[in-house]
Amino acid sequence: MSSPDPSPNTPPTSFLSAPSTVRFDFENTYARLPERFYVRLDPTPVAAPRLIKVNVELARNLGLDPDALASEVGVEILSGNRVAEGSEPLAIAYAGHQFGYFVPQLGDGRANLLGEVMGRDGGRYDIQLKGSGRTPFSRGGDGRAGLGPVLREYIVSEAMAALGVPTTRALEAVATGERIFRETILPGAVLTRVASSHLRVGTFQYFEARGDAEGIRELADYAIARHYPEAAQADQPYRTFLDGVIARQAKLIAQWMCLGFIHGVMNTDNMSISGETIDYGPCAFMEEYDPATVFSSIDRQGRYAYGNQRLAAVWNLTRLAEALLPVLAQEAGSEEAGIASAKAALAAFDPQFSAARIAGLRRKLGLVTEHEGDAALVEDLLERMAANRADFTLTFRRLCDAALGEEGDLAAQSLFADPTAYDSWAVGWRRRLEADSVPKEERAAAMRLSNPSFIPRNHLVEEALNAAILHQDFQPFEQLIDVVTHPYEDRPAWERYTLPAPPQERVTKTFCGT
């Protein structure tokens, strides 16, 4: 439930100068699909919308006026209090496996797709409100979002974008002036999310669960036209589409793991067909390296632990292949041939994932060429890091200095409980570096573009959220956004943002916010 907040928080960002007009120039292709794909409805208005932050650079890249978005009218639109010209608000239908259990109807229970815009890069992007009120898919929920989860998604999604990971983005955050009730009473907020689309594995499962083969075909045709146009010209367009989704997900999960990122809720309704990271809930970045690391408070069995994310992706993609079987079978000539086609597509995931992961780890270690023993060298380091509780991000960042010479070893060595574990590994690493004829300064510079100095460390995220929620102080949030959107820079003044949490500030659980 939500109710007016008698003391609504007042974010520090005031409205900018009044713009001429708030223009989105929506071009809405999803709204042209049959109406069983969604439910048309407007967002639910909020009590007292106030701007928290507008993403100026993203707005401009989308061809939008950031001053207009920050104006009173812009905030009314992006809080759900006003429908913009050309908007066709709707809630998308989808299903999904949640922690392995199938739910035949999920859908946008607290989100509203306002429409689509064309970015300056020629891409098509959804503009969606998250926390915009009840829909027919809310399943008894209030359809609202708390300030904390909104700010968390803003921070982490923008960090991921700066790290070079395909992701949904945060365009604007607005406080609602209302309270929402979860475990405690929280201030409400609405996030404006930008995505290449909101098509999910679960969107296909929705039609599979209803035996709607024509719906699967229409959805696949739409996804091909929007995300995989090359598939339309292939001899087997639906198999080519499935191949494309698998390839993008293999690369995406490899990128996550090379950064120590843990999604936390890799359900099929949280896997995007476009290959973007979507639905940041109880996500986190690992500090001490341990493949069994879990932060999500709802992942009690470790299904989506750091080291299980590859397996989770394969499981989800298998569900996608199952949903596509009607169209795969038709184009392959029989059900048996369709199943064989799906299996062949899925068999490509592991080789593609392994290739993307080892390529990423080679870059992190400064290895320019490919040698047979590289995988063993990488795994040896990771095993030593796990045994010695070495910080994942800091270890690789400090190797950038160690690549310049042995005088840089001390900083990396200090991260290992047993410093000799690093020393003996470094001997083999330096021998391997000698096999590549690359100037050490050039190597170190390249490594710094693969090994971030700054990630949104969990305790710093919590610090920013608590300041905003408890004290209406948004300065830590603003500062953290500044830091994590410049992840590869060296800034001595920001040293505290590079360091693991002190023992008393460690965050061991993160929460979804629904």
Side-chain angles (χ1 to χ4, degrees):
M1 297 177 61
S2 60
S3 64
D5 186 344
S7 302
N9 58 327
T10 306
T13 310
S14 60
F15 292 133
L16 304 182
S17 57
S20 53
T21 309
V22 181
R23 293 183 56 88
F24 285 89
D25 295 326
F26 285 118
E27 296 184 15
N28 305 328
T29 60
Y30 203 81
R32 305 284 83 79
L33 291 171
E35 294 210 354
R36 68 187 187 280
F37 283 62
Y38 51 78
V39 175
R40 294 183 184 271
L41 78 166
D42 292 345
T44 304
V46 302
R50 292 176 180 269
L51 178 67
I52 297 173
K53 187 172 183 63
V54 62
N55 190 330
V56 172
E57 181 181 3
L58 177 59
R60 289 174 177 157
N61 289 341
L62 294 172
L64 303 174
D65 180 355
D67 285 0
L69 298 182
S71 71
E72 185 172 358
V73 172
V75 171
E76 286 182 355
I77 291 170
L78 296 185
S79 65
N81 282 19
R82 181 188 297 225
V83 176
E85 180 181 352
S87 177
E88 298 179 69
L90 55 87
I92 298 175
Y94 55 85
H97 277 88
Q98 299 193 318
F99 290 91
Y101 296 95
F102 185 63
V103 182
Q105 179 169 297
L106 292 169
D108 287 335
R110 57 173 182 156
N112 196 289
L113 176 61
L114 300 184
E116 304 153 22
V117 300
M118 301 301 295
R120 290 181 175 173
D121 61 358
R124 179 179 297 274
Y125 297 95
D126 283 359
I127 306 294
Q128 184 201 64
L129 300 186
K130 188 172 181 179
S132 53
R134 287 191 179 95
T135 79
F137 304 115
S138 295
R139 297 185 295 163
D142 62 11
R144 293 304 191 189
L147 178 62
V150 163
L151 298 185
R152 179 186 294 277
E153 180 156 350
Y154 198 119
I155 292 166
V156 181
S157 64
E158 288 308 296
M160 291 286 269
L163 288 163
V165 180
T167 180
T168 59
R169 301 285 302 275
L171 178 62
E172 186 160 311
V174 175
T176 64
E178 296 177 350
R179 299 178 298 177
I180 67 166
F181 298 87
R182 299 293 185 261
E183 290 82 3
T184 60
I185 298 174
L186 300 169
V190 175
L191 178 75
T192 303
R193 181 162 69 184
V194 175
S196 293
S197 82
H198 284 85
L199 299 179
R200 310 154 187 271
V201 170
T203 319
F204 286 87
Q205 291 182 290
Y206 179 83
F207 295 100
E208 178 198 18
R210 286 152 181 77
D212 187 350
E214 184 56 30
I216 293 170
R217 179 182 301 280
E218 289 181 275
L219 185 62
D221 288 343
Y222 179 84
I224 288 170
R226 186 157 178 177
H227 296 300
Y228 301 89
E230 68 283 358
Q233 309 304 318
D235 292 337
Q236 293 187 312
Y238 301 116
R239 165 62 188 275
T240 304
F241 164 60
L242 178 58
D243 287 340
V245 177
I246 288 169
R248 289 190 192 181
Q249 285 294 334
K251 182 178 179 180
L252 177 66
I253 306 306
Q255 285 181 281
W256 287 2
M257 297 188 72
C258 284
L259 292 166
F261 176 74
I262 306 169
H263 185 281
V265 277
M266 287 181 66
N267 297 325
T268 58
D269 55 299
N270 295 336
M271 178 174 273
S272 169
I273 295 302
S274 69
E276 291 180 326
T277 312
I278 193 171
D279 289 337
Y280 292 91
C283 58
F285 282 80
M286 179 170 55
E287 292 196 336
E288 293 178 0
Y289 178 72
D290 180 356
T293 301
V294 176
F295 287 98
S296 170
S297 62
I298 57 176
D299 190 3
R300 296 180 180 88
Q301 305 302 317
R303 179 183 177 90
Y304 302 134
Y306 170 82
N308 288 342
Q309 292 181 114
R310 176 189 65 82
L311 296 174
V314 173
W315 197 92
N316 290 351
L317 291 166
T318 303
R319 307 288 80 76
L320 174 63
E322 290 171 350
L324 288 171
L325 278 178
V327 294
L328 291 172
Q330 186 171 33
E331 72 178 6
S334 69
E335 182 177 352
E336 184 177 303
I339 292 172
S341 179
K343 288 182 175 178
L346 292 165
F349 179 91
D350 272 347
Q352 291 180 89
F353 167 82
S354 296
R357 177 175 175 269
I358 191 62
L361 289 168
R362 274 197 184 98
R363 289 190 294 271
K364 291 175 78 69
L365 291 182
L367 309 181
V368 178
T369 58
E370 298 182 14
H371 284 220
E372 186 176 343
D374 290 350
L377 181 68
V378 166
E379 296 305 328
D380 186 23
L381 172 62
L382 293 175
E383 289 173 9
R384 292 167 188 255
M385 288 167 62
N388 286 272
R389 303 184 300 279
D391 184 89
F392 184 87
T393 301
L394 268 184
T395 297
F396 284 103
R397 185 67 179 187
R398 290 183 178 177
L399 286 177
C400 302
D401 292 329
L404 292 170
E406 293 184 12
E407 61 275 11
D409 280 343
L410 187 59
Q413 181 193 71
S414 67
L415 299 172
F416 290 70
D418 175 9
T420 63
Y422 169 80
D423 293 339
S424 55
W425 175 83
V427 171
W429 175 53
R430 286 210 163 80
R431 188 182 305 119
R432 170 63 182 83
L433 293 182
E434 291 173 359
D436 294 333
S437 56
V438 177
K440 59 184 180 181
E441 292 81 6
E442 181 180 325
R443 186 196 311 277
M447 289 174 66
R448 288 192 178 94
L449 296 178
S450 294
N451 294 308
S453 183
F454 305 108
I455 57 170
R457 291 184 178 270
N458 303 325
H459 68 294
L460 299 173
V461 174
E462 291 300 319
E463 176 186 287
L465 303 192
N466 288 335
I469 294 168
L470 301 177
H471 307 294
Q472 296 79 53
D473 178 7
F474 288 76
Q475 187 56 42
F477 164 73
E478 293 280 358
Q479 180 64 60
L480 188 55
I481 287 289
D482 191 16
V483 169
V484 300
T485 54
H486 298 84
Y488 297 108
E489 297 183 11
D490 279 318
R491 295 197 180 185
W494 290 356
E495 183 182 6
R496 88 177 190 93
Y497 292 95
T498 70
L499 301 177
Q504 69 276 15
E505 295 180 22
R506 286 176 60 90
V507 174
T508 59
K509 295 292 181 185
T510 51
F511 298 88
C512 191
T514 55

